[in-house]
Amino acid sequence: MASSAVIPSYKHIVERNNQLVRRLAKYSGLNEKLVLNIVKFSKCLCKRGYDSIDSDMFSVVLSTYFNIVDQTTLMKAYIRQSHGRPDNQLAMEDFAEILCAFLSSDLDLKIDYVFKIYDINGDGYIDSQEISQFVRTCKCVMDTDEADKDETFYDLAHMAANTLGVTGEGITLETFREKVKENGLILSILGEALPNYGYVERFRQKLTDKTNLQMIQMFGNIRYQLLREVPDTTEPRYYPITLDLP
């Protein structure tokens, strides 16, 4: 007879949450109070009873709060690390990590993050094929007349490859780091991996020094506000529950 699943105790849930906050604070250099609210915000994005964020929610949050219109490559970069999840689901912890990367002032962290996005197949190199994939979705190519599209695509791909110094099998993270520190604009050479500073600061202000009640008031019904999804109003089930008794 199979044993029933053990439901984690409240104490265990709190400790796991605290561990996540500490890890993200160390990763990003942000203070733990702000990171805690980033985690709370990310949890509000999940459907009730789930610990992941679906692609619809992912897209609307990045476009609404950060003006990132094309989120396809960002989603793909994290989906390949979310083993065992459906293709349209992103772990809540991974999304909180993205937000921490947006808000962090650590240049090396941002370089690591952007490289992860640009390295589509996750092999540790940015190669000419990956550059071509990014350029093909570039707005300035899509807006070009059909007759000139191939030429525009070739010119942009060639310019990006030359700027990055891509030859042979591609460039490594360390080479990419050197290039970015020579020219910061390279961080956005292949698209919207990072949001504009103004959007980041407006989002930071929404979360800074907010109490738990204020976070609930602002974001408790965010799925309805952004997706018009009817909130789940059913009563939560409390049993069976594991208690940590002294």
Side-chain angles (χ1 to χ4, degrees):
M1 181 177 177
S3 59
S4 59
V6 177
I7 297 177
S9 66
Y10 176 74
K11 179 180 178 181
H12 177 74
I13 293 172
V14 170
E15 179 54 32
R16 188 170 61 187
N17 191 72
N18 290 340
Q19 288 175 358
L20 173 62
V21 169
R22 289 193 293 268
R23 180 180 70 78
L24 291 177
K26 183 177 181 180
Y27 159 76
S28 63
L30 300 172
N31 70 71
E32 289 193 7
K33 189 172 181 179
L34 176 58
V35 173
L36 177 60
N37 281 349
I38 289 173
V39 171
K40 289 177 182 176
F41 172 79
S42 301
K43 287 182 176 180
C44 288
L45 305 180
C46 303
K47 286 185 177 181
R48 188 171 182 175
Y50 290 82
D51 64 349
S52 59
I53 296 165
D54 55 86
S55 56
D56 288 342
M57 194 75 250
F58 180 89
S59 296
V60 75
V61 167
L62 263 63
S63 60
T64 301
Y65 290 101
F66 299 102
N67 198 36
I68 295 180
V69 179
D70 181 14
Q71 313 91 4
T72 306
T73 52
L74 276 72
M75 191 72 174
K76 285 182 178 177
Y78 280 86
I79 286 298
R80 67 172 180 255
Q81 299 176 37
S82 299
H83 305 297
R85 295 181 182 274
D87 288 344
N88 67 338
Q89 298 291 321
L90 180 71
M92 183 279 295
E93 293 89 342
D94 287 341
F95 188 79
E97 185 175 287
I98 291 175
L99 298 182
C100 287
F102 286 177
L103 271 62
S104 176
S105 59
D106 186 329
L107 178 59
D108 282 312
L109 182 153
K110 290 183 181 294
I111 291 170
D112 292 348
Y113 167 78
V114 172
F115 185 89
K116 184 189 295 184
I117 303 302
Y118 289 170
D119 177 20
I120 296 173
N121 61 13
D123 67 352
Y125 293 88
I126 300 174
D127 57 34
S128 56
Q129 184 176 0
E130 287 165 333
I131 290 175
S132 295
Q133 289 186 54
F134 276 99
V135 172
R136 285 189 185 280
T137 61
C138 180
K139 187 179 186 300
C140 55
V141 174
M142 300 305 292
D143 290 346
T144 304
D145 291 340
E146 201 64 38
D148 298 329
K149 189 168 290 187
D150 286 342
E151 184 176 351
T152 303
F153 161 72
Y154 175 81
D155 289 344
L156 286 173
H158 183 69
M159 180 188 70
N162 281 346
T163 303
L164 288 170
V166 173
T167 58
E169 63 182 356
I171 62 168
T172 63
L173 172 59
E174 289 311 309
T175 302
F176 182 70
R177 194 183 309 280
E178 292 171 7
K179 294 288 182 180
V180 170
K181 291 187 176 181
E182 291 172 4
N183 182 359
L185 293 177
I186 289 176
L187 271 179
S188 58
I189 194 171
L190 296 179
E192 300 175 306
L194 289 169
N196 177 277
Y197 176 79
Y199 287 96
V200 170
E201 289 309 300
R202 280 192 285 275
F203 183 75
R204 187 195 305 273
Q205 291 170 17
K206 288 181 180 294
L207 303 190
T208 299
D209 297 328
K210 297 297 189 298
T211 65
N212 189 53
L213 178 59
Q214 289 173 321
M215 290 293 293
I216 292 172
Q217 289 172 338
M218 283 194 296
F219 305 116
N221 289 327
I222 192 170
R223 292 190 66 90
Y224 175 74
Q225 295 166 9
L226 298 180
L227 299 178
R228 289 295 183 261
E229 181 178 284
V230 178
D232 181 357
T233 57
T234 58
E235 289 295 321
R237 295 178 61 189
Y238 296 104
Y239 298 98
I241 187 169
T242 303
L243 299 177
D244 288 329
L245 300 176

